[in-house]
Amino acid sequence: MIRPFFILCAIFHNNGVSLSSKIRKFPDSFEFGASTSAYQIEGGWYEDGKGLSIWDIATHMDPSQIKDKSTGDIAADSYHLYKRDVEIAKELGLDFYRFSVSWPRILPKGLPNQINQAGIDYYNNLINELLKNNIKPFLTIYHWDLPYELQKLGGWINPHVVDWFVDYVKILYDYYGDRVKLWITINEPKQICYEGYGSTLKAPMLNASGVAEYMCAKNLLLAHAKAYHLYNQNYRKLQNGTVGISISCTWFEPASETIDDHQAAVDANQFDWGQYAHPIFSKAGHFPFELKKNIALKSAEQGFSRSRLPELSASEVALIRGSADFFGVNTYTTKLAYRDASLDGLYAVPSYMDDMAAVVVGNPTWPQAKSTWLQEVPWGFYKLLKEIKKNYNNPVVYITENGWSTAGGLFDDDRIQYYRNYLSVLHDAIEEGCDVRKYTAWSLIDNFEWKNGYTEKFGLYEVDFSREDRNRTPRKSAYVYKEIIRTKSLDTTYEPEINTV
Ligand SMILES: *[C@@H]1O[C@H](CO)[C@@H](O)[C@H](O)[C@H]1NC(C)=O
Ligand SMILES: *[C@@H]1O[C@H](CO)[C@@H](O)[C@H](O)[C@H]1NC(C)=O
């Protein structure tokens, strides 16, 4: 029986965080940006020597997997319109623009024996255009578009992916490191490992839950760590940049005050983001205790000869621990977690969800975005930031994604409210000592939202996907964000005049 969670959680409304209306100034050194990713905006899917990625394959092999049967073949056409994107970044007054590089555009077959010069040129042009306009390039090395040739070999569950990734990273440091000083190795490990290999939510849709996502997690952490150490050893002295990882973090709140529900929320937080954050940012390193305990126990009960969670050797733990200059936080929403013995049998065995053994739900009273998974819960963001500060000795945090989806349209007051409320509690957290130094809106422009195609819009600028020229138009939220950046402060009474950016 599913419990009526809306009764359980009514008590959490606002949760002690006051959304005050006074003008709130961010520190002078605080920086604002906006984000996109290659597959979601570039198009040019088979142009100028680019190889195929797992998303090209997923969208072409079985279009019915995508809500509107669309692909990223053209997307927002940023492969051709990147100058307009930079102009938009300039219009907004961004300090930095976070974009990702398509691995198969650089290495069509995934491996470094064949480098695609047109791909190298594309990102050189984008980086130079940004710098010409005084906007810092913030480069994500991997945002989900694995070369298909590497997926044929197992992709992220083949331990050799560590070497493949480091070979690719080295090329980017070599070609772009003279001008790029902000690096993210990997975007959202959970979406890569659990959603891609443990379910069918993301490419390559392997659906081998309970086993594949943990193999992926180990390989991914090692790939990240080796890319970080490569920078330290061969590039840092000369290039003086900063290298981190972006982890998607949902905040899980206990649905009631019972010990069981409290533990369900702890487990959910550790499975969702502690799985990747703890090995890198905690003092002890290794996977979190809750993960090791739950998976070992269940594996033994289920007749496995060892835990389905792979071991990390002492030297691997040491390699991964401390391997980031900053914690990139991608965060959107909060969920309630509870535990209920009558739910035995709800999840497949073995599986990630069964290992976590928590039921997670939203709350119908929270403001709802177009995306079913996304509700506005500012206090959850605040609690997340405080927890990161507490668990990992107050690391440098960059918010590398945060945003809101609508069905479209230029007058997006719900997005404006979301940004204001999230930035307001971010300001609270900074005042209380959380070392957050950058904020990145997702997204600069509308784009291909993975399995939801073009049905969910996250852009500060609207893209008209029905027009060949993919015309971009600022939404009301773009004017509000521009004013926040211009003044480095939040003034909730500000109303833009919508005809001048
Ligand atoms: C994925 O695996 C689960 C359990 O292992 C199964 O119930 C489900 O039908 C699979 N989904 C698809 C789309 O194959
Ligand atoms: C390296 O970058 C930091 C800012 O990130 C700056 O303060 C420092 O002066 C730079 N050092 C060199 C040697 O360029």
Side-chain angles (χ1 to χ4, degrees), residues 371-407:
S371 312
T372 51
W373 53 270
L374 175 48
Q375 295 190 301
E376 181 193 324
V377 195
W379 56 259
F381 181 34
Y382 172 83
K383 287 194 167 190
L384 171 70
L385 293 172
K386 297 294 285 253
E387 188 76 4
I388 287 172
K389 174 173 188 270
K390 184 177 89 167
N391 288 356
Y392 310 129
N393 192 29
N394 203 17
V396 172
V397 168
Y398 299 163
I399 306 303
T400 42
E401 281 183 28
N402 181 236
W404 183 256
S405 62
T406 66

mmCIF file of all heavy atoms in Angstrom, residues 371-407:
data_model
loop_
_atom_site.group_PDB
_atom_site.id
_atom_site.type_symbol
_atom_site.label_atom_id
_atom_site.label_comp_id
_atom_site.label_asym_id
_atom_site.label_seq_id
_atom_site.Cartn_x
_atom_site.Cartn_y
_atom_site.Cartn_z
ATOM 1 N N SER A 371 8.221 19.167 -16.637
ATOM 2 C CA SER A 371 8.829 17.852 -16.419
ATOM 3 C C SER A 371 8.201 17.225 -15.178
ATOM 4 O O SER A 371 8.163 17.856 -14.114
ATOM 5 C CB SER A 371 10.335 17.986 -16.199
ATOM 6 O OG SER A 371 10.914 18.811 -17.181
ATOM 7 N N THR A 372 7.740 15.967 -15.296
ATOM 8 C CA THR A 372 7.032 15.349 -14.165
ATOM 9 C C THR A 372 7.911 15.257 -12.920
ATOM 10 O O THR A 372 7.414 15.337 -11.802
ATOM 11 C CB THR A 372 6.581 13.916 -14.529
ATOM 12 O OG1 THR A 372 7.702 13.213 -15.051
ATOM 13 C CG2 THR A 372 5.471 13.936 -15.549
ATOM 14 N N TRP A 373 9.224 15.105 -13.118
ATOM 15 C CA TRP A 373 10.135 14.891 -11.983
ATOM 16 C C TRP A 373 10.507 16.191 -11.277
ATOM 17 O O TRP A 373 11.188 16.165 -10.252
ATOM 18 C CB TRP A 373 11.412 14.181 -12.463
ATOM 19 C CG TRP A 373 12.070 14.890 -13.630
ATOM 20 C CD1 TRP A 373 11.830 14.684 -14.954
ATOM 21 C CD2 TRP A 373 13.036 15.947 -13.556
ATOM 22 N NE1 TRP A 373 12.594 15.541 -15.722
ATOM 23 C CE2 TRP A 373 13.342 16.320 -14.893
ATOM 24 C CE3 TRP A 373 13.677 16.605 -12.494
ATOM 25 C CZ2 TRP A 373 14.256 17.335 -15.195
ATOM 26 C CZ3 TRP A 373 14.584 17.613 -12.800
ATOM 27 C CH2 TRP A 373 14.872 17.969 -14.139
ATOM 28 N N LEU A 374 10.093 17.326 -11.816
ATOM 29 C CA LEU A 374 10.630 18.613 -11.347
ATOM 30 C C LEU A 374 9.588 19.454 -10.617
ATOM 31 O O LEU A 374 8.599 19.898 -11.205
ATOM 32 C CB LEU A 374 11.211 19.378 -12.554
ATOM 33 C CG LEU A 374 11.731 20.799 -12.344
ATOM 34 C CD1 LEU A 374 12.643 20.913 -11.142
ATOM 35 C CD2 LEU A 374 12.456 21.280 -13.594
ATOM 36 N N GLN A 375 9.816 19.657 -9.309
ATOM 37 C CA GLN A 375 8.979 20.542 -8.502
ATOM 38 C C GLN A 375 9.857 21.580 -7.819
ATOM 39 O O GLN A 375 11.040 21.324 -7.560
ATOM 40 C CB GLN A 375 8.228 19.729 -7.444
ATOM 41 C CG GLN A 375 7.227 18.743 -8.049
ATOM 42 C CD GLN A 375 6.326 18.133 -7.001
ATOM 43 O OE1 GLN A 375 6.808 17.491 -6.068
ATOM 44 N NE2 GLN A 375 5.028 18.334 -7.137
ATOM 45 N N GLU A 376 9.263 22.729 -7.545
ATOM 46 C CA GLU A 376 10.035 23.809 -6.916
ATOM 47 C C GLU A 376 10.012 23.672 -5.400
ATOM 48 O O GLU A 376 8.963 23.783 -4.775
ATOM 49 C CB GLU A 376 9.432 25.166 -7.313
ATOM 50 C CG GLU A 376 10.200 26.328 -6.706
ATOM 51 C CD GLU A 376 9.473 27.655 -6.816
ATOM 52 O OE1 GLU A 376 8.788 27.886 -7.844
ATOM 53 O OE2 GLU A 376 9.582 28.457 -5.875
ATOM 54 N N VAL A 377 11.206 23.416 -4.830
ATOM 55 C CA VAL A 377 11.316 23.221 -3.376
ATOM 56 C C VAL A 377 12.600 23.894 -2.887
ATOM 57 O O VAL A 377 13.598 23.229 -2.608
ATOM 58 C CB VAL A 377 11.356 21.713 -3.010
ATOM 59 C CG1 VAL A 377 11.096 21.517 -1.521
ATOM 60 C CG2 VAL A 377 10.368 20.894 -3.842
ATOM 61 N N PRO A 378 12.599 25.228 -2.779
ATOM 62 C CA PRO A 378 13.852 25.934 -2.467
ATOM 63 C C PRO A 378 14.517 25.439 -1.180
ATOM 64 O O PRO A 378 15.747 25.327 -1.122
ATOM 65 C CB PRO A 378 13.428 27.401 -2.345
ATOM 66 C CG PRO A 378 12.048 27.498 -2.867
ATOM 67 C CD PRO A 378 11.473 26.135 -3.001
ATOM 68 N N TRP A 379 13.722 25.118 -0.147
ATOM 69 C CA TRP A 379 14.357 24.717 1.112
ATOM 70 C C TRP A 379 15.151 23.430 0.956
ATOM 71 O O TRP A 379 16.107 23.175 1.694
ATOM 72 C CB TRP A 379 13.341 24.621 2.262
ATOM 73 C CG TRP A 379 12.165 23.710 2.040
ATOM 74 C CD1 TRP A 379 10.902 24.079 1.689
ATOM 75 C CD2 TRP A 379 12.147 22.272 2.153
ATOM 76 N NE1 TRP A 379 10.104 22.970 1.580
ATOM 77 C CE2 TRP A 379 10.833 21.852 1.857
ATOM 78 C CE3 TRP A 379 13.103 21.317 2.481
ATOM 79 C CZ2 TRP A 379 10.462 20.491 1.876
ATOM 80 C CZ3 TRP A 379 12.735 19.974 2.494
ATOM 81 C CH2 TRP A 379 11.438 19.569 2.196
ATOM 82 N N GLY A 380 14.785 22.582 -0.021
ATOM 83 C CA GLY A 380 15.548 21.361 -0.260
ATOM 84 C C GLY A 380 16.941 21.692 -0.800
ATOM 85 O O GLY A 380 17.934 21.047 -0.448
ATOM 86 N N PHE A 381 17.006 22.713 -1.647
ATOM 87 C CA PHE A 381 18.287 23.189 -2.180
ATOM 88 C C PHE A 381 19.165 23.691 -1.031
ATOM 89 O O PHE A 381 20.358 23.373 -0.934
ATOM 90 C CB PHE A 381 17.998 24.304 -3.193
ATOM 91 C CG PHE A 381 19.198 24.906 -3.866
ATOM 92 C CD1 PHE A 381 20.335 24.155 -4.172
ATOM 93 C CD2 PHE A 381 19.187 26.253 -4.235
ATOM 94 C CE1 PHE A 381 21.429 24.729 -4.824
ATOM 95 C CE2 PHE A 381 20.280 26.831 -4.883
ATOM 96 C CZ PHE A 381 21.395 26.071 -5.171
ATOM 97 N N TYR A 382 18.542 24.457 -0.142
ATOM 98 C CA TYR A 382 19.259 24.983 1.020
ATOM 99 C C TYR A 382 19.823 23.849 1.883
ATOM 100 O O TYR A 382 21.003 23.850 2.257
ATOM 101 C CB TYR A 382 18.291 25.852 1.832
ATOM 102 C CG TYR A 382 18.811 26.325 3.155
ATOM 103 C CD1 TYR A 382 19.615 27.458 3.245
ATOM 104 C CD2 TYR A 382 18.480 25.644 4.338
ATOM 105 C CE1 TYR A 382 20.087 27.895 4.468
ATOM 106 C CE2 TYR A 382 18.945 26.075 5.558
ATOM 107 C CZ TYR A 382 19.749 27.203 5.623
ATOM 108 O OH TYR A 382 20.215 27.627 6.842
ATOM 109 N N LYS A 383 18.989 22.838 2.147
ATOM 110 C CA LYS A 383 19.451 21.708 2.980
ATOM 111 C C LYS A 383 20.571 20.941 2.292
ATOM 112 O O LYS A 383 21.511 20.476 2.938
ATOM 113 C CB LYS A 383 18.289 20.764 3.268
ATOM 114 C CG LYS A 383 17.300 21.333 4.268
ATOM 115 C CD LYS A 383 16.366 20.244 4.768
ATOM 116 C CE LYS A 383 15.600 20.745 5.997
ATOM 117 N NZ LYS A 383 14.864 19.672 6.649
ATOM 118 N N LEU A 384 20.461 20.800 0.977
ATOM 119 C CA LEU A 384 21.501 20.114 0.216
ATOM 120 C C LEU A 384 22.850 20.827 0.382
ATOM 121 O O LEU A 384 23.877 20.190 0.655
ATOM 122 C CB LEU A 384 21.106 20.068 -1.269
ATOM 123 C CG LEU A 384 22.174 19.569 -2.226
ATOM 124 C CD1 LEU A 384 22.424 18.076 -2.040
ATOM 125 C CD2 LEU A 384 21.791 19.865 -3.673
ATOM 126 N N LEU A 385 22.834 22.144 0.240
ATOM 127 C CA LEU A 385 24.088 22.900 0.346
ATOM 128 C C LEU A 385 24.684 22.792 1.744
ATOM 129 O O LEU A 385 25.906 22.648 1.905
ATOM 130 C CB LEU A 385 23.856 24.369 -0.029
ATOM 131 C CG LEU A 385 23.506 24.614 -1.501
ATOM 132 C CD1 LEU A 385 23.098 26.065 -1.732
ATOM 133 C CD2 LEU A 385 24.679 24.235 -2.414
ATOM 134 N N LYS A 386 23.823 22.818 2.760
ATOM 135 C CA LYS A 386 24.322 22.690 4.134
ATOM 136 C C LYS A 386 24.894 21.290 4.374
ATOM 137 O O LYS A 386 25.889 21.118 5.090
ATOM 138 C CB LYS A 386 23.191 22.982 5.146
ATOM 139 C CG LYS A 386 22.639 24.395 5.087
ATOM 140 C CD LYS A 386 23.632 25.465 5.511
ATOM 141 C CE LYS A 386 23.857 25.519 6.987
ATOM 142 N NZ LYS A 386 23.269 26.666 7.675
ATOM 143 N N GLU A 387 24.269 20.280 3.788
ATOM 144 C CA GLU A 387 24.740 18.904 3.961
ATOM 145 C C GLU A 387 26.101 18.703 3.277
ATOM 146 O O GLU A 387 26.984 18.032 3.819
ATOM 147 C CB GLU A 387 23.694 17.939 3.370
ATOM 148 C CG GLU A 387 23.963 16.469 3.639
ATOM 149 C CD GLU A 387 23.645 16.032 5.063
ATOM 150 O OE1 GLU A 387 23.130 16.850 5.860
ATOM 151 O OE2 GLU A 387 23.915 14.849 5.368
ATOM 152 N N ILE A 388 26.254 19.283 2.102
ATOM 153 C CA ILE A 388 27.541 19.185 1.393
ATOM 154 C C ILE A 388 28.637 19.858 2.221
ATOM 155 O O ILE A 388 29.743 19.342 2.362
ATOM 156 C CB ILE A 388 27.427 19.820 -0.019
ATOM 157 C CG1 ILE A 388 26.593 18.896 -0.928
ATOM 158 C CG2 ILE A 388 28.792 20.094 -0.624
ATOM 159 C CD1 ILE A 388 26.243 19.479 -2.280
ATOM 160 N N LYS A 389 28.302 20.999 2.779
ATOM 161 C CA LYS A 389 29.274 21.715 3.632
ATOM 162 C C LYS A 389 29.686 20.843 4.811
ATOM 163 O O LYS A 389 30.874 20.697 5.129
ATOM 164 C CB LYS A 389 28.639 23.016 4.142
ATOM 165 C CG LYS A 389 29.478 23.795 5.148
ATOM 166 C CD LYS A 389 28.822 25.145 5.452
ATOM 167 C CE LYS A 389 29.710 26.044 6.288
ATOM 168 N NZ LYS A 389 29.519 25.866 7.740
ATOM 169 N N LYS A 390 28.687 20.223 5.451
ATOM 170 C CA LYS A 390 28.937 19.414 6.651
ATOM 171 C C LYS A 390 29.698 18.126 6.314
ATOM 172 O O LYS A 390 30.671 17.782 6.979
ATOM 173 C CB LYS A 390 27.591 19.075 7.310
ATOM 174 C CG LYS A 390 27.716 18.317 8.620
ATOM 175 C CD LYS A 390 26.367 18.090 9.253
ATOM 176 C CE LYS A 390 25.843 16.836 8.723
ATOM 177 N NZ LYS A 390 24.820 16.047 9.084
ATOM 178 N N ASN A 391 29.258 17.423 5.267
ATOM 179 C CA ASN A 391 29.840 16.098 4.977
ATOM 180 C C ASN A 391 31.249 16.165 4.416
ATOM 181 O O ASN A 391 32.037 15.245 4.620
ATOM 182 C CB ASN A 391 28.975 15.347 3.955
ATOM 183 C CG ASN A 391 27.662 14.880 4.539
ATOM 184 O OD1 ASN A 391 27.420 15.045 5.735
ATOM 185 N ND2 ASN A 391 26.810 14.324 3.706
ATOM 186 N N TYR A 392 31.527 17.211 3.651
ATOM 187 C CA TYR A 392 32.783 17.208 2.885
ATOM 188 C C TYR A 392 33.682 18.395 3.234
ATOM 189 O O TYR A 392 34.451 18.861 2.392
ATOM 190 C CB TYR A 392 32.467 17.179 1.380
ATOM 191 C CG TYR A 392 31.486 16.089 0.987
ATOM 192 C CD1 TYR A 392 30.360 16.383 0.227
ATOM 193 C CD2 TYR A 392 31.681 14.763 1.386
ATOM 194 C CE1 TYR A 392 29.447 15.389 -0.130
ATOM 195 C CE2 TYR A 392 30.767 13.774 1.039
ATOM 196 C CZ TYR A 392 29.661 14.093 0.289
ATOM 197 O OH TYR A 392 28.769 13.109 -0.060
ATOM 198 N N ASN A 393 33.578 18.879 4.465
ATOM 199 C CA ASN A 393 34.481 19.917 4.940
ATOM 200 C C ASN A 393 34.437 21.176 4.072
ATOM 201 O O ASN A 393 35.477 21.711 3.671
ATOM 202 C CB ASN A 393 35.920 19.340 5.006
ATOM 203 C CG ASN A 393 36.857 20.260 5.759
ATOM 204 O OD1 ASN A 393 36.433 20.999 6.653
ATOM 205 N ND2 ASN A 393 38.131 20.243 5.388
ATOM 206 N N ASN A 394 33.228 21.601 3.805
ATOM 207 C CA ASN A 394 32.987 22.868 3.080
ATOM 208 C C ASN A 394 33.822 23.030 1.805
ATOM 209 O O ASN A 394 34.630 23.949 1.678
ATOM 210 C CB ASN A 394 33.229 24.060 4.010
ATOM 211 C CG ASN A 394 32.487 25.302 3.529
ATOM 212 O OD1 ASN A 394 31.561 25.210 2.716
ATOM 213 N ND2 ASN A 394 32.890 26.456 4.021
ATOM 214 N N PRO A 395 33.584 22.150 0.821
ATOM 215 C CA PRO A 395 34.342 22.259 -0.429
ATOM 216 C C PRO A 395 33.919 23.495 -1.227
ATOM 217 O O PRO A 395 32.848 24.055 -0.998
ATOM 218 C CB PRO A 395 33.923 20.992 -1.187
ATOM 219 C CG PRO A 395 32.536 20.709 -0.703
ATOM 220 C CD PRO A 395 32.531 21.118 0.748
ATOM 221 N N VAL A 396 34.776 23.906 -2.168
ATOM 222 C CA VAL A 396 34.377 24.928 -3.136
ATOM 223 C C VAL A 396 33.263 24.332 -4.001
ATOM 224 O O VAL A 396 33.428 23.253 -4.566
ATOM 225 C CB VAL A 396 35.568 25.321 -4.040
ATOM 226 C CG1 VAL A 396 35.095 26.248 -5.164
ATOM 227 C CG2 VAL A 396 36.675 25.959 -3.218
ATOM 228 N N VAL A 397 32.124 25.014 -4.054
ATOM 229 C CA VAL A 397 30.979 24.516 -4.832
ATOM 230 C C VAL A 397 30.678 25.477 -5.978
ATOM 231 O O VAL A 397 30.667 26.694 -5.785
ATOM 232 C CB VAL A 397 29.727 24.356 -3.930
ATOM 233 C CG1 VAL A 397 28.470 24.131 -4.760
ATOM 234 C CG2 VAL A 397 29.921 23.232 -2.926
ATOM 235 N N TYR A 398 30.517 24.935 -7.164
ATOM 236 C CA TYR A 398 29.930 25.692 -8.271
ATOM 237 C C TYR A 398 28.587 25.044 -8.564
ATOM 238 O O TYR A 398 28.521 23.824 -8.764
ATOM 239 C CB TYR A 398 30.768 25.594 -9.551
ATOM 240 C CG TYR A 398 32.177 26.124 -9.481
ATOM 241 C CD1 TYR A 398 33.103 25.760 -10.473
ATOM 242 C CD2 TYR A 398 32.601 26.990 -8.481
ATOM 243 C CE1 TYR A 398 34.411 26.239 -10.449
ATOM 244 C CE2 TYR A 398 33.902 27.467 -8.445
ATOM 245 C CZ TYR A 398 34.801 27.090 -9.435
ATOM 246 O OH TYR A 398 36.092 27.557 -9.414
ATOM 247 N N ILE A 399 27.517 25.834 -8.585
ATOM 248 C CA ILE A 399 26.244 25.294 -9.067
ATOM 249 C C ILE A 399 26.374 25.276 -10.598
ATOM 250 O O ILE A 399 26.451 26.334 -11.236
ATOM 251 C CB ILE A 399 25.049 26.181 -8.645
ATOM 252 C CG1 ILE A 399 25.050 26.406 -7.120
ATOM 253 C CG2 ILE A 399 23.736 25.562 -9.122
ATOM 254 C CD1 ILE A 399 25.014 25.164 -6.282
ATOM 255 N N THR A 400 26.443 24.064 -11.163
ATOM 256 C CA THR A 400 26.714 23.968 -12.599
ATOM 257 C C THR A 400 25.444 23.736 -13.426
ATOM 258 O O THR A 400 25.510 23.787 -14.657
ATOM 259 C CB THR A 400 27.770 22.886 -12.882
ATOM 260 O OG1 THR A 400 27.519 21.734 -12.071
ATOM 261 C CG2 THR A 400 29.158 23.404 -12.542
ATOM 262 N N GLU A 401 24.326 23.451 -12.756
ATOM 263 C CA GLU A 401 23.019 23.425 -13.425
ATOM 264 C C GLU A 401 21.924 23.677 -12.402
ATOM 265 O O GLU A 401 21.960 23.121 -11.301
ATOM 266 C CB GLU A 401 22.719 22.050 -14.073
ATOM 267 C CG GLU A 401 23.402 21.809 -15.387
ATOM 268 C CD GLU A 401 23.015 20.471 -16.023
ATOM 269 O OE1 GLU A 401 21.890 19.974 -15.764
ATOM 270 O OE2 GLU A 401 23.836 19.932 -16.773
ATOM 271 N N ASN A 402 20.938 24.490 -12.813
ATOM 272 C CA ASN A 402 19.725 24.684 -12.025
ATOM 273 C C ASN A 402 18.717 25.371 -12.946
ATOM 274 O O ASN A 402 19.083 26.312 -13.639
ATOM 275 C CB ASN A 402 20.032 25.558 -10.782
ATOM 276 C CG ASN A 402 18.820 25.779 -9.893
ATOM 277 O OD1 ASN A 402 18.435 26.902 -9.598
ATOM 278 N ND2 ASN A 402 18.202 24.703 -9.452
ATOM 279 N N GLY A 403 17.502 24.869 -12.966
ATOM 280 C CA GLY A 403 16.538 25.491 -13.873
ATOM 281 C C GLY A 403 15.177 24.832 -13.836
ATOM 282 O O GLY A 403 14.928 23.908 -13.062
ATOM 283 N N TRP A 404 14.307 25.292 -14.735
ATOM 284 C CA TRP A 404 12.878 24.999 -14.675
ATOM 285 C C TRP A 404 12.331 24.791 -16.084
ATOM 286 O O TRP A 404 12.722 25.503 -17.003
ATOM 287 C CB TRP A 404 12.183 26.206 -14.031
ATOM 288 C CG TRP A 404 10.710 26.099 -13.813
ATOM 289 C CD1 TRP A 404 9.731 26.691 -14.556
ATOM 290 C CD2 TRP A 404 10.048 25.407 -12.758
ATOM 291 N NE1 TRP A 404 8.496 26.403 -14.018
ATOM 292 C CE2 TRP A 404 8.662 25.606 -12.913
ATOM 293 C CE3 TRP A 404 10.493 24.631 -11.676
ATOM 294 C CZ2 TRP A 404 7.716 25.070 -12.055
ATOM 295 C CZ3 TRP A 404 9.558 24.082 -10.820
ATOM 296 C CH2 TRP A 404 8.179 24.307 -11.013
ATOM 297 N N SER A 405 11.444 23.831 -16.257
ATOM 298 C CA SER A 405 10.886 23.569 -17.582
ATOM 299 C C SER A 405 9.444 24.039 -17.685
ATOM 300 O O SER A 405 8.680 23.977 -16.715
ATOM 301 C CB SER A 405 10.951 22.071 -17.892
ATOM 302 O OG SER A 405 10.187 21.333 -16.968
ATOM 303 N N THR A 406 9.103 24.507 -18.880
ATOM 304 C CA THR A 406 7.727 24.877 -19.193
ATOM 305 C C THR A 406 7.342 24.192 -20.504
ATOM 306 O O THR A 406 8.168 23.559 -21.142
ATOM 307 C CB THR A 406 7.571 26.404 -19.395
ATOM 308 O OG1 THR A 406 8.294 26.785 -20.570
ATOM 309 C CG2 THR A 406 8.085 27.190 -18.205
ATOM 310 N N ALA A 407 6.082 24.399 -20.908
ATOM 311 C CA ALA A 407 5.642 23.863 -22.207
ATOM 312 C C ALA A 407 6.020 24.816 -23.326
ATOM 313 O O ALA A 407 5.832 24.505 -24.497
ATOM 314 C CB ALA A 407 4.136 23.640 -22.183
#
